[in-house]
């Protein structure tokens, strides 16, 4: 009797994808464009300058070496994830999360599904304004126990976080890393096309929230209808000790203070990664940082503080490290206990950090093989001169495989928008519609692509198989795809 097929782990899937991309480098010709500034870190190709170059097929050594190079390139994200694991290890040991979970469940008794749209809206605001993505990794270990305690499953929690943020990114309004970069290279204002994106954001959030609430209610009535019912007991044991759920944990002032520090850590993180000065011309944090540095004695003592808005993974890692120590001290832990709990928590997310590096290895092989520009040239050649509807449909479809090959939204915009935006005008399609098509396709793909550390990291933390996630999200992807396409077509004639 044949054994039932079991979906391989995320690690195996990613290694296989690296091998497939390496094989494609033997088939797809290599090419290159001339650049506006060859010395720039963001290379901007000049339309019509594509030329073929000698192919650089990737062999077995490149395949096995790609995850190592990928991990080296993504070391800042990987370390951020590991430190978050340590931070959560300290927080969980205090019991403040358990007490907070019990308080939340008590307050939402009988209306647990209301958590879904509330959280989705909050996450979508982060996605649509500053492209919140990798930062959401920190929220999974916190929200999953709340949802499990409410009677939902891990997929409901992951979908609320990933789809909430993802729909925000898909319909980026003022996201400087997607809409901002693309609009700049298209030669238009970031506000062009804003009305369309806001309307699509509202419609898609409402539809998907309704779908998730329906699924959550179905699980409450019949737990066996869950996509991950087979791992229900293991998940309950891993994320939230349901056997002790009847034990009431007193929500003391000390635990409330710990949760306040915990919440403020995330608020500071969110404020710190929004480019206030560079993109929005809000210089408050820059001025505050300068004032602190100029204070006698205090400025020297504080050191060269990076203003909020200019932070990235290095600074965020420092934030969570400091918060870990502070929370441990408030709880009354000694130095040995803080370190022990931190290391135990860090071990839990070590696998997620490894996945980030391996997923980056796919892009390493693809770029080394020189096939990215060949595919871009195919789009340039075949999309020129089409009518409005054919052009916007094919542009949207073109950006789907391109988003798989280039997961970075800013990188994709830099490479393609100088070519695609002028092509749209030849077909009578406004540049802002091309920008919206690009970011919508990129946002859609990044909800499922295994080249995304956000997707694979979320699945690893949630203990959900990649195949299971695809089965669950397929209908939602179809809804997002067609509502976006209809919006793009309508906007092309308005």
């Amino acid at each position: 009797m044949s054994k039932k097929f079991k979906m391989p782990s995320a690690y195996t899937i990613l290694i296989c994808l690296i091998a497939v991309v390496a094989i494609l480098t033997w088939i797809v010709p290599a090419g290159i464009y001339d650049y506006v500034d060859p010395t720039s870190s963001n290379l901007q190709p000049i339309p019509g300058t594509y030329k073929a170059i000698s192919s650089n097929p990737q062999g077995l050594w490149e395949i096995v070496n790609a995850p190592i190079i990928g991990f080296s390139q993504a070391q800042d994200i990987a370390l951020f994830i590991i430190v978050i694991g340590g931070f959560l290890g300290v927080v969980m040991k205090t019991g403040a999360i358990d007490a907070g979970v019990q308080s939340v469940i008590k307050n939402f008794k009988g209306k647990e599904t209301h958590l879904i749209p509330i959280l989705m809206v909050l996450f979508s605001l982060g996605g649509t304004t500053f492209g919140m993505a990798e930062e959401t990794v920190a929220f999974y270990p916190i929200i999953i126990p709340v949802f499990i305690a409410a009677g939902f499953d891990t997929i409901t929690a992951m979908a609320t976080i990933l789809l909430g943020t993802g729909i925000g990114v898909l319909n980026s309004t003022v996201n400087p890393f997607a809409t901002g970069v693309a609009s700049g290279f298209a030669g238009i204002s970031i506000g062009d096309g804003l009305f369309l994106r806001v309307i699509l954001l509202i419609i898609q959030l409402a539809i998907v929230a309704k779908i998730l609430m329906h699924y959550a209610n179905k699980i409450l009535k019949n737990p066996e209808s869950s996509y991950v019912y087979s791992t229900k007991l293991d998940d309950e044991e891993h994320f939230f000790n349901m056997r002790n759920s009847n034990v009431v944990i007193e929500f003391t002032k000390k635990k409330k203070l710990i949760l306040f520090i915990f919440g403020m850590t995330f608020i500071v993180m969110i404020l710190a990664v929004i480019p206030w000065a560079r993109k929005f011309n809000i210089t408050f944090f820059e001025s505050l940082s300068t004032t602190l540095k100029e204070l006698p004695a205090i400025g020297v003592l504080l050191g060269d503080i990076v203003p909020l808005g200019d932070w990235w993974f290095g600074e965020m890692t420092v934030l969570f490290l400091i918060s870990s120590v502070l929370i441990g001290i408030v709880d009354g832990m000694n130095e040995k206990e803080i370190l022990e709990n931190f290391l135990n928590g860090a071990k839990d997310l070590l696998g997620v950090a490894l996945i980030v590096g391996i997923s980056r290895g796919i892009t390493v092989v693809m770029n080394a093989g020189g096939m990215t520009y060949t595919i871009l040239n195919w789009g340039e050649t075949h999309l020129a001169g089409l009518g409005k509807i054919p052009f916007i449909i094919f542009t949207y479809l073109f950006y789907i495989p391109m988003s798989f090959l280039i997961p970075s939204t800013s990188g994709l915009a830099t490479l393609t928008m100088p070519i695609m935006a002028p092509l749209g005008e030849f077909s009578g399609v406004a540049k802002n519609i091309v920008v919206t098509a690009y970011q919508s396709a990129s946002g859609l793909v990044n909800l499922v692509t295994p080249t995304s550390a956000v997707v694979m990291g979320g699945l690893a933390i949630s203990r959900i198989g990649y195949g299971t996630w695809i089965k669950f999200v397929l209908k939602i992807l179809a809804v997002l795809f067609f509502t976006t396409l209809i919006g793009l077509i309508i906007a092309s004639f308005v």
Side-chain angles (χ1 to χ4, degrees):
M1 187 175 178
S2 60
K3 293 183 178 180
K4 186 179 179 181
F5 172 76
K6 187 177 181 181
M7 194 72 180
S9 68
Y11 303 98
T12 303
I13 291 172
L14 290 172
I15 294 295
C16 289
L17 282 172
I18 291 175
V20 169
V21 172
I23 292 171
L24 288 175
T25 64
W26 291 72
I27 302 169
V28 179
I32 197 169
Y33 279 87
D34 291 337
Y35 305 116
V36 174
D37 181 7
T39 63
S40 172
S41 58
N42 291 319
L43 296 174
Q44 181 183 349
I46 300 173
T49 63
Y50 173 84
K51 53 183 174 290
I53 60 174
S54 300
S55 61
N56 184 30
Q58 304 292 286
L60 290 175
W61 174 255
E62 285 75 20
I63 293 173
V64 297
N65 195 36
I68 309 302
I69 298 175
F71 191 83
S72 176
Q73 293 181 356
Q75 58 184 299
D76 53 350
I77 303 176
L79 182 59
F80 172 65
I81 290 171
I82 291 172
V83 170
I84 281 177
F87 167 76
L88 293 173
V90 175
V91 174
M92 294 302 291
K93 189 65 177 180
T94 66
I97 293 293
D98 291 341
V101 165
Q102 288 188 356
S103 177
V104 168
I105 298 304
K106 181 180 178 181
N107 291 332
F108 276 86
K109 193 69 175 177
K111 47 185 178 180
E112 290 87 351
T113 53
H114 292 181
L115 285 169
I116 295 172
I118 292 172
L119 290 173
M120 285 190 73
V121 168
L122 292 175
F123 281 117
S124 71
L125 290 175
T128 195
T129 54
F130 67 93
M132 188 179 191
E134 288 89 351
E135 300 88 347
T136 59
V137 172
F139 292 94
Y140 284 91
I142 309 307
I143 291 177
I144 291 175
V146 175
F147 274 49
I148 289 179
F152 307 147
D153 60 8
T154 53
I155 275 195
T156 311
M158 172 155 181
T160 299
I161 300 170
L162 183 61
L163 295 179
T165 311
I167 291 172
V169 173
L170 192 154
N171 297 293
S172 295
T173 50
V174 293
N175 174 6
F177 307 108
T179 313
V181 174
S183 297
F185 283 119
I188 59 176
S189 165
I190 194 172
D192 289 344
L194 184 63
F195 180 73
L196 169 63
R197 295 191 286 268
V198 169
I199 293 298
L200 285 174
L201 175 63
I202 294 171
I203 291 173
Q204 292 180 345
L205 266 180
I207 294 173
V208 175
K210 187 70 175 177
I211 292 173
L212 292 185
M213 291 174 73
H214 175 75
Y215 174 75
N217 278 319
K218 188 166 68 171
I219 292 173
L220 290 176
K221 295 175 183 176
N222 179 20
E224 293 185 11
S225 62
S226 167
Y227 277 76
V228 289
Y229 179 72
S230 60
T231 61
K232 182 176 186 294
L233 295 178
D234 287 340
D235 290 337
E236 290 174 351
E237 183 70 26
H238 180 79
F239 290 110
F240 189 79
N241 194 345
M242 301 301 287
R243 294 174 185 173
N244 296 327
S245 60
N246 292 326
V247 178
V248 177
I249 303 174
E250 187 180 356
F251 203 13
T252 62
K253 289 183 178 179
K254 183 167 71 174
K255 287 184 170 56
K256 289 178 180 178
L257 177 58
I258 289 171
L259 285 186
F260 173 77
I261 297 171
F262 172 85
M264 286 303 300
T265 302
F266 285 93
I267 291 173
V268 171
M269 178 191 75
I270 292 170
L271 290 174
V273 296
I274 299 175
W276 300 106
R278 286 183 289 111
K279 295 295 182 181
F280 304 115
N281 202 31
I282 298 174
T283 60
F284 171 77
F285 294 115
E286 300 276 349
S287 301
L288 178 62
S289 178
T290 301
T291 301
L292 290 174
K293 290 176 185 178
E294 292 175 349
L295 290 175
I298 296 177
V300 177
L301 180 64
L302 290 175
D304 190 15
I305 299 175
V306 179
L308 299 186
D310 293 336
W311 285 28
W312 203 227
F313 287 105
E315 292 79 10
M316 289 192 294
T317 301
V318 172
L319 171 66
F320 280 95
L321 189 60
I322 293 173
S323 293
S324 301
V325 176
L326 182 58
I327 287 172
I329 293 173
V330 170
D331 191 60
M333 299 180 190
N334 57 38
E335 178 265 345
K336 183 178 179 181
E337 289 172 330
I338 293 174
L339 183 61
E340 183 178 318
N341 293 323
F342 185 89
L343 292 176
N344 286 335
K347 285 189 294 186
D348 290 340
L349 292 190
L350 179 60
V352 179
L354 292 174
I355 280 178
V356 168
I358 298 174
S359 64
R360 184 67 63 91
I362 298 172
T363 306
V364 169
V365 170
M366 182 192 67
N367 289 338
M371 55 187 280
T372 307
Y373 290 113
T374 300
I375 297 172
L376 177 58
N377 180 63
W378 178 90
E380 180 184 5
T381 303
H382 290 81
L383 293 177
L386 295 176
K388 285 186 177 182
I389 293 180
F391 178 84
I392 200 62
I393 292 174
F394 281 110
T395 298
Y396 187 43
L397 294 176
F398 167 73
Y399 269 115
I400 289 177
M402 287 301 294
S403 300
F404 172 80
L405 295 173
I406 309 172
S408 167
T409 53
S410 57
L412 181 60
T414 302
L415 288 174
T416 63
M417 203 50 62
I419 296 171
M420 300 304 294
L423 289 178
E425 290 194 319
F426 286 129
S427 300
V429 176
K431 289 181 178 180
N432 70 80
I433 307 298
V434 178
V435 170
T436 302
Y438 133 78
Q439 68 178 47
S440 298
S442 176
L444 186 72
V445 170
N446 284 329
L447 294 176
V448 291
T449 177
T451 63
S452 168
V454 178
V455 173
M456 302 310 288
L459 289 173
I461 296 173
S462 306
R463 295 156 56 96
I464 300 170
Y466 182 70
T468 303
W469 173 247
I470 294 298
K471 289 178 184 177
F472 173 81
V473 82
L474 207 54
K475 291 181 180 178
I476 294 175
L477 290 179
V479 169
L480 295 175
F481 176 87
F482 285 110
T483 52
T484 299
L485 190 57
I486 292 170
L488 289 171
I489 292 173
I490 294 173
S492 298
F493 288 92
V494 173

